[in-house]
Amino acid sequence: MVIYGYYYAAALVAGAGTVTYLTSWYWALPFYILAAFCLYFFRDPDREIPPGPVAVSPADGKVVVVKPENGGQRISIFLNVFDVHVNRTPIAGRITDVHYQKGRFLVASKEEASHSNERNIITVEGPLGRIEFKQIAGLIARRIICYKKPGDTVAAGERVGLIKFGSRVDVQLGPEWEVTVRVGQRVAAGSSVIARKKP
């Protein structure tokens, strides 16, 4: 469980207690439901990381874009409010850059969100090469959290941050990668293979 879930849930339960004291438990019921949802939303399950020369998904969600871009392939994953929102690195290596860029808050499922929305761009370089991925805010998700900084060493599938409430994560792969997912497919952060290194 991500600690933010406890903070939100505690605040909502406190509000529910106040409403119950002033009126009745019936009117406080929405606060309790929202508190339970926050605990569910900020869950952080362990994942089994697949071995081999592969790139794993950095996020839970649905693949909404697979397209050629910048000499390689871009994979975009949309996270709805019911998905796990903890993000993980696709490959092992060293984080060479973390760049935050202000932007808009369009609906994260829209293609324009990749280039227009507020985002945090993380670059990892390791034995398998270089991969760039973006934590992208959405219409509701307006807080991007990144635990890592340039110079940090990460294992494949290691947790790097999260985005609060509905968002998008893009992965930019070079020409040395063969994409193994398709549009419409659901993936899980750290355990779903999204690409394999070409021989």
Side-chain angles (χ1 to χ4, degrees), residues 3 18 27-28 32 48 70 74 83 109 115 120 123 126 141-142 149 151 161 164 166 173 178:
I3 194 168
T18 301
W27 296 108
Y32 289 115
E48 185 174 344
N70 298 327
R74 171 166 62 89
D83 289 315
S109 59
H115 307 291
N120 193 53
T123 304
R142 300 201 174 205
K149 61 185 184 303
K164 295 181 180 179
L173 301 167
E178 179 183 355

Side-chain angles (χ1 to χ4, degrees), residues 29-165:
L29 191 58
F31 289 89
Y32 289 115
I33 292 172
L34 285 172
F37 175 75
C38 283
L39 292 176
Y40 171 76
F41 178 87
F42 286 102
R43 65 200 186 280
D44 183 14
D46 289 329
R47 298 284 166 78
E48 185 174 344
I49 314 302
V54 300
V56 298
S57 176
D60 285 37
K62 184 171 74 171
V63 176
V64 292
V65 173
V66 177
K67 65 181 292 187
E69 190 170 283
N70 298 327
Q73 295 280 322
R74 171 166 62 89
I75 300 172
S76 297
I77 301 162
F78 173 69
L79 297 75
N80 65 42
V81 293
F82 299 105
D83 289 315
V84 173
H85 274 58
V86 174
N87 304 138
R88 295 169 179 259
T89 177
I91 59 171
R94 186 172 67 90
I95 294 179
T96 58
D97 190 40
V98 177
H99 176 66
Y100 171 77
Q101 188 168 333
K102 290 185 177 180
R104 302 169 67 186
F105 295 98
L106 302 174
V107 176
S109 59
K110 292 182 175 295
E111 174 64 7
E112 309 96 278
S114 287
H115 307 291
S116 300
N117 280 21
E118 180 173 305
R119 54 201 178 275
N120 193 53
I121 306 166
I122 303 170
T123 304
V124 183
E125 294 187 21
L128 294 179
R130 177 181 181 274
I131 285 183
E132 178 184 281
F133 62 105
K134 304 176 186 177
Q135 299 172 286
I136 302 171
L139 180 65
I140 301 174
R142 300 201 174 205
R143 181 71 190 279
I144 297 171
I145 297 170
C146 181
Y147 307 142
K148 304 297 183 180
K149 61 185 184 303
D152 286 350
T153 300
V154 290
E158 183 174 333
R159 297 168 177 86
V160 297
L162 71 145
I163 316 170
K164 295 181 180 179
F165 304 112

